[in-house]
Amino acid sequence: MRPILALGLLAVPALAAASGEAAGHGAGIPWTDLLKQAVNFAILAGALVYFLKKPISSFLKERSEQLRASIEGAARAREEAAAKLSDIERRMAGLPDEIAGMNRKMEAEAEEEARRIREAAEVEIGRVRTQAQFAAEQEVKKARQELRKEAAGLAIGAAEEIVKKAITPEDQERLARENIEKIREIVQ
């Protein structure tokens, strides 16, 4: 049906043009030409409305829905931004207290660390003192032993000199006999 209507709409202006040429042109306002153009315009407008009504209305409907969705999305985004802003402002308001709390915590941790370092240093100083004292005592013992050995060696040397000067060959012989007799008694 649409093709027939379209052919009819296209034929009407052609017929109007043919009838206008047959009537001839008058000397004033060309009413027939004006009427032809008005009819042609009305037919064209009618055809455009008829054929484009649905696509234009659907386009406008889709466009209005898109605009509505965009407006709703913008409203949601604005609400979210306002919520985020209020959250940031709330956090900013609490920031000085949070910073003061962090400073107190850091000071307490620094004091605790200083105390631990002092205690560790005291323990280390005590350990070093103990080791130094032990090493000194060992050195003193070692020196005393060496002095005793040296004193014993000197005493033995001095005693040998004294014995060599004081003992005569007869005394040596007598001491040897006494020792031999003691050994015999032990053996029997």
Side-chain angles (χ1 to χ4, degrees):
M1 171 140 174
R2 281 190 181 180
I4 295 172
L5 183 63
L7 286 173
L9 289 176
L10 291 175
V12 170
L15 288 174
S19 68
E21 288 177 5
H25 294 288
I29 297 177
W31 289 105
T32 57
D33 287 340
L34 191 61
L35 182 63
K36 289 181 209 174
Q37 289 176 357
V39 169
N40 281 337
F41 177 74
I43 292 171
L44 178 64
L48 287 176
V49 166
Y50 181 77
F51 288 112
L52 297 178
K53 182 179 181 181
K54 286 185 181 179
I56 289 175
S57 67
S58 65
F59 169 77
L60 292 175
K61 186 176 180 181
E62 288 175 11
R63 183 68 180 144
S64 66
E65 288 175 4
Q66 287 175 351
L67 289 174
R68 187 176 303 117
S70 295
I71 291 171
E72 289 173 359
R76 279 193 304 272
R78 187 172 147 259
E79 289 172 2
E80 290 174 4
K84 286 180 181 179
L85 178 63
S86 66
D87 184 45
I88 289 171
E89 288 174 347
R90 181 186 51 79
R91 289 176 62 197
M92 289 290 285
L95 197 59
D97 293 336
E98 188 175 339
I99 290 171
M102 291 173 80
N103 286 338
R104 284 191 300 271
K105 183 179 177 183
M106 287 188 324
E107 288 172 0
E109 288 176 357
E111 288 175 8
E112 178 64 22
E113 186 65 22
R115 184 190 60 77
R116 277 186 266 162
I117 289 171
R118 280 193 301 274
E119 288 177 358
E122 289 173 3
V123 168
E124 187 65 21
I125 288 169
R127 187 183 65 78
V128 168
R129 281 184 183 160
T130 303
Q131 287 180 347
Q133 187 176 5
F134 179 74
E137 289 173 359
Q138 293 300 318
E139 289 296 321
V140 168
K141 284 181 183 179
K142 186 177 175 183
R144 283 184 181 162
Q145 286 177 349
E146 288 178 10
L147 285 174
R148 284 182 188 148
K149 285 181 183 178
E150 192 174 322
L154 290 174
I156 290 172
E160 284 179 357
E161 289 294 320
I162 293 172
V163 170
K164 284 182 185 177
K165 291 180 184 176
I167 295 182
T168 62
E170 292 91 26
D171 289 335
Q172 284 181 359
E173 195 175 307
R174 179 182 53 81
L175 284 172
R177 267 186 267 127
E178 286 177 4
N179 284 334
I180 291 173
E181 287 178 18
K182 285 182 184 177
I183 292 173
R184 281 186 190 154
E185 287 175 6
I186 293 173
V187 173
Q188 292 177 359

